[in-house]
Amino acid sequence: MAMSRNPASKTNRLVGTAILAGVIVVLQIIATYIKFGPFSITLALVPIVVGAAIYGAGAGALFGGIFGVVVLIGCIGGADAGGNILWNVNPALTAFLCIFKGAAAGWVSGLVYSAFSRRNTYAGVFSAAVVCPIVNTGIFIAAMMLLFRDTLIQWAGDTSVVYYAFIGLTGVNFLLEFAVNIVLSSAVVRIINTVARR
């Protein structure tokens, strides 16, 4: 959605960005205490999709990066037990992974929304809502398989590493995140339509 260049529009964008960033931080802090398996569920993907749809892919990357920083703080502090193990194994890779996967999810969501919303807003929002958790979880699984494989093997025990990565490690979390995004798609459409009318 194109935003005009007048000062009022810039102020609205700044305020909207700050509000969405605050919502992302609060939701992810709350989500730190909701666990299915070793990692916390992600509740912040919906406002990331909203921000990416309203302000574009670059803003989506920013919102995703903010989400990633909150996740990283949980990993460092031990609120995210699985993330804390990764932090102790390799702090630099863990920091990169947390921020990169969030930023990528927001950026891709913005691109997908832009491409599909030309037909209609709901198609854009639905597509972005589907893509966001797929990118976030997909990058995480890829990183676990490639960069933290030894840790993944230890966690998997006698289970197949691939099965554990997709089902045991992220399966329930991903399905819940995916469902929340899909269910809230209609609310996101209403938010975007309200912003567009202003």
Side-chain angles (χ1 to χ4, degrees):
M1 174 176 13
M3 301 294 286
S4 65
R5 298 279 181 196
N6 65 52
S9 177
K10 289 180 181 176
T11 301
N12 288 341
R13 182 185 176 102
L14 183 63
V15 170
T17 300
I19 290 169
L20 282 170
V23 169
I24 288 166
V25 170
V26 169
L27 283 177
Q28 194 51 39
I29 289 171
I30 291 168
T32 301
Y33 302 99
I34 304 171
K35 290 183 172 63
F36 295 92
F39 291 93
S40 303
I41 190 170
T42 300
L43 297 177
L45 297 182
V46 172
I48 291 171
V49 170
V50 171
I54 294 173
Y55 301 117
L62 171 66
F63 292 129
I66 290 168
F67 151 69
V69 169
V70 178
V71 171
L72 177 60
I73 291 168
C75 293
I76 295 169
D80 186 327
N84 185 252
I85 292 170
L86 300 183
W87 172 258
N88 288 319
V89 169
N90 192 323
L93 274 179
T94 302
F96 175 77
L97 174 60
C98 288
I99 295 168
F100 176 74
K101 72 183 180 65
W107 182 66
V108 173
S109 294
L111 293 178
V112 167
Y113 174 80
S114 179
F116 284 89
S117 64
R118 293 180 184 130
R119 295 191 174 195
N120 81 30
T121 304
Y122 188 77
V125 169
F126 183 81
S127 302
V130 166
V131 163
C132 195
I134 290 173
V135 171
N136 183 58
T137 303
I139 291 173
F140 175 73
I141 290 174
M144 289 301 297
M145 299 286 284
L146 298 172
L147 306 175
F148 293 99
R149 190 165 182 84
D150 291 342
T151 304
L152 185 61
I153 289 169
Q154 287 178 0
W155 287 350
D158 295 330
T159 310
S160 157
V161 172
V162 174
Y163 176 86
Y164 179 77
F166 282 93
I167 306 300
L169 190 61
T170 59
V172 175
N173 283 11
F174 171 76
L175 291 175
L176 286 171
E177 292 164 8
F178 190 80
V180 166
N181 271 25
I182 298 305
V183 167
L184 294 180
S185 289
S186 59
V188 173
V189 171
R190 286 195 291 274
I191 292 168
I192 291 165
N193 287 339
T194 300
V195 170
R197 284 194 293 268
R198 291 183 178 178

